[in-house]
Each structure stands twice: as structure tokens, then as C-alpha cells.
Amino acid sequence: MVFILLSDEVVGTLGEGTFGKVAECKDLHAPGNRVALKIIKNVEKYREAAKLEINVLEKLKEKDHENKYLCVKMYDWFDFHGHMCICFEMLGLSVFDFLKENHYIPYTLEQVRHIAYQLCYSVNFLHENQLTHTDLKPENILFVDSEFTSVYNPKKRRDEKTIKNTEIRLIDFGSATFDHEHHSTIVSTRHYRAPEVILELGWSQPCDVWSIGTIMFELYTGFTLFQTHDNKEHLAMMERILGSIPYRLAKKSKKQKYFHHGRLDWDPKSKAGRYVRDETKPLSRYIKEPDNHDHTQLFDVISKMLEYDPRSRIQLKQIFRHPFFLRLYEADLVKSVDLSKNEDRSRSHSLSR
């Protein structure tokens, strides 16, 4: 396995994090062929997380030889002096990094439709195989190729980019969890965290669906739906945007300190209360073109994904029937999603078996 280090030349660093770094490497035996090498710190908890990610990626590969389901392709992995190293296909920028580098100019509705459609398709594959990603966010959705065209905006005195190809891949399976495995109490990056996780009600695949709803909103508007770092403030934002948290969920929550008689204990006149009021509004008021059917359909999908009760939240296998996505399905992209199957059928072909 050390062959990779001997046969590859490090070109540069693609990114760094608490886990370690990702380096761009050139395969010296195949000029022009680039790979991304994720190098994990020699720290036990990161090594263990890397092993779990490798296990998930290997099982995904077993079920998807042709890489139809848009999960990042792992070429190889090895242990180099205590550093777990995972070799991936080379991809472009994340949808978040492209947005950031483009002055947070939102993606067009058609771009949002295509990106979200692919994301639903990929994550549905995980769900059908009893796996929850648990960390869906714009940073973990990468363009296959982030080439763009650029036009100068004289009013704002800046270049504005348009991505050429919206084909994506899903990455970062380090927190992915099979149904039979231990479920950590808290999962997901804060802004994309579902209410059942915050309320400690237990979670499963529907928490991914919530995350996708928030991601779709962010791609469409250019900003994060729940811009907060505090649990109670997060819940208050949800109520401002989506309406009151259902009484039955509040009463079941292990976080009773957030509630009083089954209602969120929140002062809208406080400093935090004013922030929530000023920064958020009901979901429907974010629609840019309320008279445009495509825009209202998008928000209908998002609202179904942002149902408080995970049992009522739309499942991804139902998403392809929605008018917002049906045209893409009929045009082709995902003919392997069988819309005729019974929604309540037991899932088979588990990756974990």
C-alpha cells in the first residue's frame, strides 16, 4: 500500500481540518491523473473514525460497482506510520466553497433542482441500505468539475461566476451510521441539525432529509436558514419559520429545560428574541417569485422535508414523485429509482448484512 506514496507526487493541499489534511497528488505512472489523498492524524479517535469511514466506503463500493449512486469513489487506503490514508477520486469545489467564492450569489432554480435531485438520489441509496449519513451539508457535496463561466457585473464591480456542470458527488462518510450500530446522541453540523436530534428524541434516516431541506434553502437563497449556535435559539428560529413545535414532541423531549407546559420557553422581547425576529420569517416569505410555479414547488418540497415529526417527514423514495423533481426523473437521470414500489415495504439488500 505504501506504493501510493512512492508512485504519487504531492501537488498541494486541498484542505485541512481537525482530522488532518487532504492533499492533491499526481500519479507518476499516469501523467495528468490526479487523486485526493486524505491523511488522518495519528490520533486514536481519528484513526478509528477513518476505519469506520473505510468500512462504509467499501460496503458502498460492493453495492455500487459502477458508481451510479454518486458517492465519492475510494480507490485505496493504507496505514502509513500510524496515519490512516484514504485515496479518492479528484473532484472540484464543494457547492459551499463555490458559493463563497462567488460572493454568496445563489444558484439558479434549475441548478438547485439538479443538485438537490442528485443529492436525494445518492442519499436515498444510503437509506435503502439501512445507512444514515448524519453530516449532510454544502461542504460535503462536491462538484465533479467546478469550471465556470464569468461575467463582469458593472453595478457591483465584480466578476460573477456560473458553474458549467452541476454534476455532484457526496463525500465524508466518517459519521455515517448503520441502523444496527450505536447512534450517538448528537449528530449533524449545527445549522443542518434536525429537531429530533436537538430534543434528544432519537434519530434515524429522517434526520438526513431535514438536512437536505436546509441545504436546498441555502443553495436557493445564498444564506443559511438556521444561523445560530444555541439550541434554544435554534428551536425559536424553527418556530418563527415553521410554526410551533408539536406539543407531543416537546413533552417527549429529554430537554424539558427548553419548555414550559409543553411550549418553548422563549422571550421574543429579549435580545436573542429580537435577533430571531429580525433574522428569520415564515418559510413561504422566502420565495423569490411567489407567482412562479417552479419556485412554489421548490418550497413545497422544502416544507415537506422540514416537518418537525420525523414520522411525518417525506421520505426520499417519495421525493421523485413530487412535481418539482418528476420532470428530471422522467427525462432520465435516475431510472433505477422504482416509483412503483410500495412505500412501506421492508428494506432489503442491507449493506450491513
Side-chain angles (χ1 to χ4, degrees), residues 210-269:
W210 177 281
S211 298
I212 294 174
T214 63
I215 291 167
M216 290 173 67
F217 177 93
E218 189 167 335
L219 300 180
Y220 174 82
T221 62
F223 56 85
T224 309
L225 180 56
F226 299 108
Q227 187 60 54
T228 181
H229 295 281
D230 176 81
N231 276 343
K232 193 189 282 191
E233 187 172 86
H234 197 162
L235 295 171
M237 286 185 160
M238 289 180 186
E239 290 207 327
R240 170 90 166 133
I241 295 167
L242 304 169
S244 298
I245 295 168
Y247 180 82
R248 65 185 179 280
L249 295 185
K251 293 302 287 184
K252 285 170 59 180
S253 173
K254 294 182 180 179
K255 293 293 186 179
Q256 286 301 309
K257 64 181 181 180
Y258 298 148
F259 299 95
H260 182 68
H261 297 310
R263 299 297 177 194
L264 187 65
D265 185 13
W266 182 253
D267 181 4
K269 296 180 181 178

Side-chain angles (χ1 to χ4, degrees), residues 233 266-277:
E233 187 172 86
W266 182 253
D267 181 4
K269 296 180 181 178
S270 66
K271 182 179 178 181
R274 292 193 300 273
Y275 169 76
V276 168
R277 185 192 63 215

Side-chain angles (χ1 to χ4, degrees), residues 95-340:
V95 298
F96 173 78
D97 284 334
F98 190 91
L99 186 69
K100 181 180 178 182
E101 291 186 10
N102 200 28
H103 317 287
Y104 294 97
I105 298 169
Y107 292 95
T108 67
L109 185 132
E110 287 306 321
Q111 290 171 337
V112 173
R113 193 197 312 264
H114 188 219
I115 293 168
Y117 178 76
Q118 294 172 87
L119 180 58
C120 289
Y121 176 51
S122 185
V123 178
N124 181 62
F125 167 63
L126 306 184
H127 291 184
E128 286 293 322
N129 287 284
Q130 300 184 353
L131 188 65
T132 306
H133 187 282
T134 80
D135 197 19
L136 297 175
K137 55 185 176 180
E139 292 91 332
N140 286 340
I141 306 163
L142 269 55
F143 288 119
V144 171
D145 183 344
S146 47
E147 283 191 23
F148 58 88
T149 56
S150 183
V151 175
Y152 182 71
N153 184 330
K155 288 185 178 180
K156 297 192 175 180
R157 298 181 180 179
R158 66 188 187 190
D159 288 323
E160 297 181 350
K161 305 172 184 177
T162 300
I163 190 80
K164 286 184 177 181
N165 180 1
T166 48
E167 188 180 351
I168 62 161
R169 294 291 183 270
L170 181 61
I171 69 162
D172 198 348
F173 294 85
S175 303
T177 305
F178 286 107
D179 289 356
H180 71 276
E181 293 178 322
H182 170 71
H183 283 40
S184 303
T185 303
I186 301 298
V187 292
S188 305
T189 299
R190 157 64 68 189
H191 309 312
Y192 311 97
R193 187 173 294 157
E196 64 268 25
V197 178
I198 298 172
L199 298 176
E200 297 186 13
L201 295 169
W203 55 266
S204 58
Q205 280 82 9
C207 78
D208 280 348
V209 179
W210 177 281
S211 298
I212 294 174
T214 63
I215 291 167
M216 290 173 67
F217 177 93
E218 189 167 335
L219 300 180
Y220 174 82
T221 62
F223 56 85
T224 309
L225 180 56
F226 299 108
Q227 187 60 54
T228 181
H229 295 281
D230 176 81
N231 276 343
K232 193 189 282 191
E233 187 172 86
H234 197 162
L235 295 171
M237 286 185 160
M238 289 180 186
E239 290 207 327
R240 170 90 166 133
I241 295 167
L242 304 169
S244 298
I245 295 168
Y247 180 82
R248 65 185 179 280
L249 295 185
K251 293 302 287 184
K252 285 170 59 180
S253 173
K254 294 182 180 179
K255 293 293 186 179
Q256 286 301 309
K257 64 181 181 180
Y258 298 148
F259 299 95
H260 182 68
H261 297 310
R263 299 297 177 194
L264 187 65
D265 185 13
W266 182 253
D267 181 4
K269 296 180 181 178
S270 66
K271 182 179 178 181
R274 292 193 300 273
Y275 169 76
V276 168
R277 185 192 63 215
D278 294 342
E279 293 297 317
T280 58
K281 54 191 177 184
L283 186 65
S284 62
R285 290 175 57 189
Y286 289 102
I287 303 175
K288 296 175 189 175
E289 299 181 32
D291 297 327
N292 185 306
H293 203 47
D294 283 334
H295 289 254
T296 57
Q297 283 181 349
L298 166 63
F299 273 75
D300 186 63
V301 173
I302 292 174
S303 68
K304 285 177 167 58
M305 291 180 159
L306 300 184
E307 281 282 346
Y308 281 118
D309 190 335
R311 295 172 303 176
S312 303
R313 205 170 295 153
I314 193 169
Q315 296 179 7
L316 294 181
K317 57 191 173 185
Q318 299 170 315
I319 279 288
F320 304 100
R321 285 188 174 87
H322 193 281
F324 185 70
F325 288 127
L326 190 57
R327 175 163 55 83
L328 288 182
Y329 172 79
E330 290 177 339
D332 142 24
L333 299 196
V334 186
K335 288 302 185 187
S336 54
V337 174
D338 186 351
L339 300 187
S340 66

Side-chain angles (χ1 to χ4, degrees), residues 1-54:
M1 306 302 295
V2 179
F3 168 77
I4 288 185
L5 286 185
L6 297 176
S7 65
D8 285 19
E9 174 185 313
V10 176
V11 176
T13 300
L14 295 171
E16 297 190 47
T18 54
F19 65 88
K21 67 170 65 176
V22 180
E24 178 181 353
C25 300
K26 181 169 64 175
D27 187 340
L28 300 180
H29 292 287
N33 187 28
R34 296 286 205 273
V35 294
L37 189 66
K38 186 175 181 178
I39 306 166
I40 310 299
K41 288 178 182 176
N42 188 3
V43 176
E44 187 60 26
K45 66 177 180 179
Y46 298 136
R47 284 174 50 82
E48 289 306 310
K51 290 176 183 177
L52 291 173
E53 180 172 19
I54 290 165

